[in-house]
Each structure stands twice: as structure tokens, then as C-alpha cells.
């Protein structure tokens, strides 16, 4: 089974597709979708939705894990932009009927590092170690998406075993 993880953002959205080989996770594909800041919001969101729909068609995941919305009171605009991006990503998954799992960032960080407040660098190092990569995934959005996919896969596996 293939699981998808998404780290939503308007400018850069990280994505990852992983599969579980026994208890060991394996990356199938990972990268980022980028949009041009100079384009109108509607065009940027349409392109993000199209790009994600294309990768969903290519890899047909069992489930999509997506980071939940959070808002820091000093940066409400970031949460609003993330919400726009998250909405088109969820709509793309909904169009093909794939299950979507919302996961809190602190839960994902705790799952991989033992610390719900882990830094971007700690997450990259945890992904590098867990997936036995030669170098940490760059940019950090990719590492975050891999972490989301892995957490989603383990969550769903634990629910089906009970």
C-alpha cells in the first residue's frame, strides 16, 4: 500500500509517497509543488490542485495524510494561506475518493523525534535516519511531508490491527 503525506503551503507544498515493506518505510517519490508569487491567488491554487491531482493519479495512495491547520497569533496570514492550499489539496483527494487523515504537527514531530516541538533540522535528521538517506531531505517541506506520510501509514496500520 502507498501512503501520501502533504505539508501544505501556498508558495511551497511538500509531498511524499511512501510504502511500508513489512515494518520498514520506503520512499516511493517526494518533492515540492511551487507557485509563482506574482500570479493571482486563484491561478496559484488551481495549479496546486492540478499538480497534486496529477501525482495522486500517478501513485494512487491508500490514504493521504495532511498536516492540520495551526495559527500563530503573530502570523495569521500564514494560516489563511495554508488554509487555502489545504482546501484545494483536500478537494483533489476528495475527487478521487481517497481517505484523508488530518494530523497535528506536534503529534507528527513527537512520533518521529519524541519531541512535539522538534525543529525543522531535527525533523530532517529524523527522516534521514528513519529512511536511511544519505542526506537530510531538502527543502524541509519534503521532510515534513515524508513524516506526515509515515505517521499516517503507521496510524492506519495500528487501527486495522485492533
Amino acid at each position: 500500500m502507498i501512503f501520501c503525506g502533504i505539508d501544505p503551503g501556498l508558495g511551497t507544498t511538500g509531498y511524499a509517497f511512501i510504502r511500508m515493506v513489512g515494518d520498514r518505510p520506503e520512499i516511493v517519490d517526494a518533492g515540492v509543488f511551487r507557485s509563482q508569487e506574482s500570479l493571482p491567488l486563484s491561478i496559484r491554487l488551481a495549479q496546486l490542485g492540478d499538480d497534486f491531482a496529477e501525482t495522486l493519479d500517478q501513485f494512487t495512495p491508500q490514504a493521504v495524510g495532511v498536516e492540520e491547520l495551526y495559527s500563530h497569533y503573530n502570523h495569521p496570514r500564514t494560516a489563511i494561506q495554508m488554509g487555502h492550499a489545504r482546501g484545494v489539496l483536500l478537494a483533489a483527494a476528495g475527487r478521487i475518493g481517497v481517505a484523508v487523515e488530518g494530523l497535528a504537527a506536534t503529534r507528527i514531530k513527537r512520533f518521529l523525534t519524541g519531541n512535539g516541538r522538534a525543529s525543522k533540522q531535527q525533523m530532517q535528521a529524523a527522516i534521514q535516519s528513519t529512511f536511511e538517506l544519505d542526506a537530510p531531505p531538502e527543502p524541509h517541506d519534503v521532510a515534513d511531508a515524508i513524516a506526515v506520510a509515515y505517521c499516517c501509514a503507521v496510524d492506519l496500520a495500528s487501527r486495522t490491527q485492533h
Side-chain angles (χ1 to χ4, degrees), residues 45-61:
L45 292 172
Q47 185 62 55
L48 176 60
D50 291 347
D51 289 347
F52 186 49
E54 188 176 305
T55 60
L56 287 173
D57 286 344
Q58 184 178 354
F59 296 105
T60 58

Side-chain angles (χ1 to χ4, degrees), residues 21-64:
V21 180
D23 288 342
R24 195 176 143 279
E26 181 179 278
I27 298 170
V28 175
D29 188 41
V32 293
F33 303 120
R34 295 188 191 275
S35 69
Q36 290 183 302
E37 200 172 329
S38 61
L39 294 175
L41 177 62
S42 59
I43 302 297
R44 293 174 76 184
L45 292 172
Q47 185 62 55
L48 176 60
D50 291 347
D51 289 347
F52 186 49
E54 188 176 305
T55 60
L56 287 173
D57 286 344
Q58 184 178 354
F59 296 105
T60 58
Q62 173 78 23
V64 173

Side-chain angles (χ1 to χ4, degrees), residues 2-20:
I2 293 179
F3 298 89
C4 177
I6 293 292
D7 180 34
L10 183 57
T12 304
T13 290
Y15 71 89
F17 292 87
I18 70 161
R19 82 172 114 240
M20 298 301 290

Side-chain angles (χ1 to χ4, degrees), residues 110-132:
R110 190 171 38 255
F111 170 72
L112 272 146
T113 69
N115 175 5
R117 303 262 180 237
S119 69
K120 296 288 186 191
Q121 294 80 14
Q122 288 171 310
M123 288 298 291
Q124 287 172 298
I127 291 299
Q128 179 183 2
S129 173
T130 301
F131 287 84
E132 300 175 354

